Amino acid sequence: MDLMLVLLILGIFFGFFVQTITGFAGALVALPFLLFVMPLVEAVCYISIFYSISTPVYFYREWKNMDKLLLRKLLVTSVIGLIIGSIILVFGQPTILKKALGLFIIFFVLNTLINKNPKQLSSNIQFVLGIFGGFFSGVFSTGGPLYAIIIRNETNDVKVFRATMFGILGVVSIMRISVLIAEGALTTIELHNSLYVLPFFVAALYLGKKAYLKLDEKILRKLILSLLFISGIILIVKN
């Protein structure tokens, strides 16, 4: 087994283990492993494949907890950003935008910790964040933190947060797969290599669900904020 396949397995396993527990951050965990042995476009293809495979599982398990109205709103704005982001993924790499996203996420987390009664985000701000969520999902496969900010602003229920995150990230990933195929970025090579990773991916979903069931909601809320903060730092530091 070569190094590329080993790091692909490790990245997908740990990424989706964390994803299953918190509802997001799968790509942020997986990307550092994948980018060590492959270009960004190829890494996004692999992540998109496994997000798409996990989507029916997450929808089946968590449909009853999803905020359907918020999910529909996010889908409308995400389509716009996703198309733009996927095109830029193939023809460019806007590193400055990624660092700006990291700064924004860190600011949000610090504001949440300092201000115990944060103001609700207006519908206009949610609209803009939804577009950028789709955009960063298309370019870096890292739109999760922005969606997390919107959904966390709408609900304090960890179950609803986690389920709605599964919903938006899953549907966006399926849309992203379609765009990547249309642009010729996703090939049979990625699909073939994904077969080797599949057993480890299934194990990550199973173990992640087991870990989630044992976590207290207060601990999970702290974990979500911690992952948001770490993801912001990674986006700033990582080229």
Side-chain angles (χ1 to χ4, degrees):
M1 189 178 290
D2 61 19
L3 180 62
M4 190 282 287
L5 203 53
V6 169
L7 289 178
L8 177 59
I9 289 170
L10 289 174
I12 295 300
F13 176 83
F14 286 115
F16 280 89
F17 176 76
V18 171
Q19 172 85 16
T20 305
I21 295 173
T22 63
F24 77 108
L28 289 164
V29 174
L31 276 175
F33 289 92
L34 274 56
L35 293 178
F36 189 75
V37 289
M38 64 183 72
L40 178 63
V41 176
E42 190 176 344
V44 169
C45 286
Y46 281 116
I47 290 171
S48 299
I49 288 169
F50 288 101
Y51 263 119
S52 299
I53 295 172
S54 66
T55 296
V57 178
Y58 288 145
F59 264 81
Y60 175 76
R61 287 178 176 174
E62 305 293 343
W63 175 252
K64 64 180 181 294
N65 294 320
M66 290 183 189
D67 185 332
K68 281 82 170 178
L69 178 60
L70 180 57
L71 190 58
R72 284 196 294 269
K73 289 179 181 178
L74 289 174
L75 284 175
V76 172
T77 55
S78 296
V79 170
I80 302 169
L82 181 67
I83 293 172
I84 298 171
S86 295
I87 293 170
I88 291 177
L89 171 66
V90 176
F91 299 105
Q93 193 177 126
T95 304
I96 293 176
L97 285 176
K98 186 168 67 169
K99 294 182 184 299
L101 171 61
L103 286 172
F104 175 81
I105 291 167
I106 290 173
F107 173 78
F108 171 82
V109 172
L110 293 176
N111 181 65
T112 301
L113 293 172
I114 294 170
N115 186 0
K116 298 301 181 182
N117 296 299
K119 294 181 180 179
Q120 291 290 106
L121 297 176
S122 69
S123 57
N124 289 335
I125 292 176
Q126 288 189 21
F127 180 83
V128 173
L129 290 180
I131 290 177
F132 276 102
F135 174 80
F136 282 103
S137 290
V139 181
F140 304 111
S141 194
T142 55
L146 282 174
Y147 292 129
I149 288 171
I150 297 171
I151 297 170
R152 191 182 183 282
N153 183 74
E154 288 292 308
T155 180
N156 287 319
D157 190 319
V158 172
K159 289 182 179 179
V160 175
F161 170 87
R162 181 171 168 271
T164 309
M165 284 297 299
F166 286 149
I168 185 60
L169 291 177
V171 177
V172 164
S173 294
I174 290 173
M175 291 191 293
R176 185 170 61 228
I177 281 278
S178 303
V179 175
L180 291 171
I181 292 172
E183 293 174 343
L186 180 61
T187 67
T188 55
I189 295 173
E190 285 82 26
L191 295 174
H192 178 263
N193 287 336
S194 295
L195 294 176
Y196 294 103
V197 186
L198 195 57
F200 301 94
F201 165 74
V202 172
L205 297 187
Y206 175 79
L207 295 173
K209 179 67 174 180
K210 290 288 186 183
Y212 164 74
L213 293 173
K214 293 182 178 180
L215 285 175
D216 179 76
E217 283 207 4
K218 289 183 179 179
I219 294 175
L220 198 53
R221 287 194 190 98
K222 291 179 181 178
L223 181 59
I224 288 167
L225 283 176
S226 298
L227 280 173
L228 276 172
F229 187 79
I230 293 168
S231 70
I233 294 174
I234 290 173
L235 287 168
I236 292 171
V237 174
K238 186 73 176 176
N239 291 322

